[in-house]
Amino acid sequence: MMTINPIQSAPSRRSTPGGQMTAAQRVLAILEAFDEDHLLLTLSEISRRAHLSLSTTHRLVGELRDWGALERTDDGHYAIGMRVLELGSLEPQGMRLRDAAHPYLGDLQVAVNANVHLAVRDGFDTVYVESLRARNGVNVLSRLGGRWPLHAAATGQVLLAHAPTAVQEDVLRSRLRGFTRKTVTDPNELRQVLAGIRRTGVAVADECITTDAYAVAVPIRGTHDRVIAALGVTVHHDKAAVNAALPALTMTARAISRACGSPSASRTPAAAPPVRAAG
């Protein structure tokens, strides 16, 4: 089970040369106070994490709530509102990717009876632009719009393995956060994991975020065969389930890649060898 960190300050945005945040920076600081570990916050918690006074926070939170960017729960906590999700869905790359993937994701979910995730890289994070839950699937923490550090998720490892070298080195030099005792937090081990993904085309994360589960992911390629996304499924902690899911996962990724203009996706694929879960 993932350990949720106590409330702590979110990274502050750059201020103006005079040391004061602009009006836009204050609004963005409030929105950035929310993350995967802090989905619900009180007004005072938002104030502390956004580095704003309580009076300023109260005023801006009220305006954001009226506009729909924030929602207030019955017990007085605040959460990101639907208006932000609606705007996020208009992001061009995400729209094109979801349009290309939509005809295939439901069939994949039925075929493997597992949770399905479509993800892209945003900086050092993997962000889920689509997430389908299976009725009897693993109880996972992933959700539409959710983000995790690249090193921790199978989709993230795929994206990191094919990211620019500078991005990989920055991640390898950073503090690799652990979510379970099996999360890869050693830079040398992570470097080997990434090399294996480039060699096999498959990432298998063994209980790296959620216990009692394997996450399996493969790349999705676009024009010029550049990796533009990752497609993953989360299955119960059974190595047989990994190999059972892999053919459908790989076939679906090829179909989406073909729809995204990947030249190699139109060629006859070689049979995917069985993979072993790390750890």
Side-chain angles (χ1 to χ4, degrees):
M1 180 176 296
M2 187 183 78
T3 301
I4 302 298
N5 286 346
I7 297 296
Q8 53 186 324
S9 295
S12 60
R13 287 189 159 265
R14 294 180 181 176
S15 58
T16 61
Q20 298 295 320
M21 283 192 286
T22 65
Q25 285 172 332
R26 288 193 289 270
V27 170
L28 293 172
I30 288 176
L31 295 177
E32 281 193 333
F34 297 86
D35 59 26
E36 195 71 38
D37 288 348
H38 307 100
L39 300 177
L40 294 172
L41 295 172
T42 65
L43 198 64
S44 61
E45 289 167 350
I46 297 173
S47 172
R48 183 162 64 253
R49 285 177 55 76
H51 305 285
L52 297 172
S53 69
L54 193 58
S55 60
T56 298
T57 302
H58 183 272
R59 175 175 58 82
L60 293 177
V61 165
E63 294 177 5
L64 288 168
R65 180 189 177 191
D66 291 342
W67 185 74
L70 295 177
E71 295 178 356
R72 189 175 187 273
T73 64
D74 292 339
D75 62 359
H77 286 76
Y78 290 89
I80 294 295
M82 288 297 297
R83 193 73 178 271
V84 174
L85 181 61
E86 291 169 359
L87 289 176
S89 69
L90 300 178
E91 190 271 323
Q93 177 180 320
M95 286 182 65
R96 291 193 295 270
L97 180 60
R98 283 194 300 273
D99 287 345
H102 187 265
Y104 306 102
L105 296 183
D107 289 341
L108 173 62
Q109 183 190 48
V110 172
V112 300
N113 189 29
N115 303 311
V116 174
H117 305 296
L118 182 66
V120 297
R121 182 174 68 85
D122 181 22
F124 295 161
D125 293 337
T126 180
V127 179
Y128 296 112
V129 296
E130 192 60 88
S131 182
L132 304 180
R133 297 290 186 92
R135 178 172 298 179
N136 298 316
V138 180
N139 185 21
V140 295
L141 299 169
S142 304
R143 58 182 175 80
L144 176 63
R147 61 174 62 221
W148 296 96
L150 289 171
H151 73 277
T155 52
Q157 290 175 359
V158 167
L159 295 169
L160 182 58
H162 297 281
T165 302
V167 172
Q168 294 183 35
E169 293 303 320
D170 283 345
V171 171
L172 288 164
R173 284 193 297 266
S174 68
R175 175 182 173 272
L176 301 176
R177 179 182 172 188
F179 295 90
T180 72
R181 63 183 181 84
K182 292 188 177 181
T183 307
V184 180
T185 58
D186 177 76
N188 292 326
E189 181 183 355
L190 179 58
R191 195 182 295 276
Q192 293 176 2
V193 168
L194 299 180
I197 293 169
R198 288 188 291 269
R199 184 177 65 254
T200 65
V202 181
V204 181
D206 177 7
E207 298 185 315
C208 288
I209 293 178
T210 305
T211 57
D212 300 324
Y214 282 125
V216 192
V218 295
I220 291 175
R221 299 178 183 274
T223 55
H224 308 295
D225 277 335
R226 181 175 63 88
V227 173
I228 59 173
L231 180 65
V233 297
T234 306
V235 298
H236 290 284
H237 198 255
D238 176 0
K239 289 188 178 181
V242 174
N243 285 313
L246 190 56
L249 177 63
T250 303
M251 183 173 63
T252 302
R254 286 185 63 86
I256 297 173
S257 296
R258 189 181 305 114
C260 290
S262 166
S264 66
S266 298
R267 297 195 288 267
T268 302
V275 297
R276 295 191 307 167

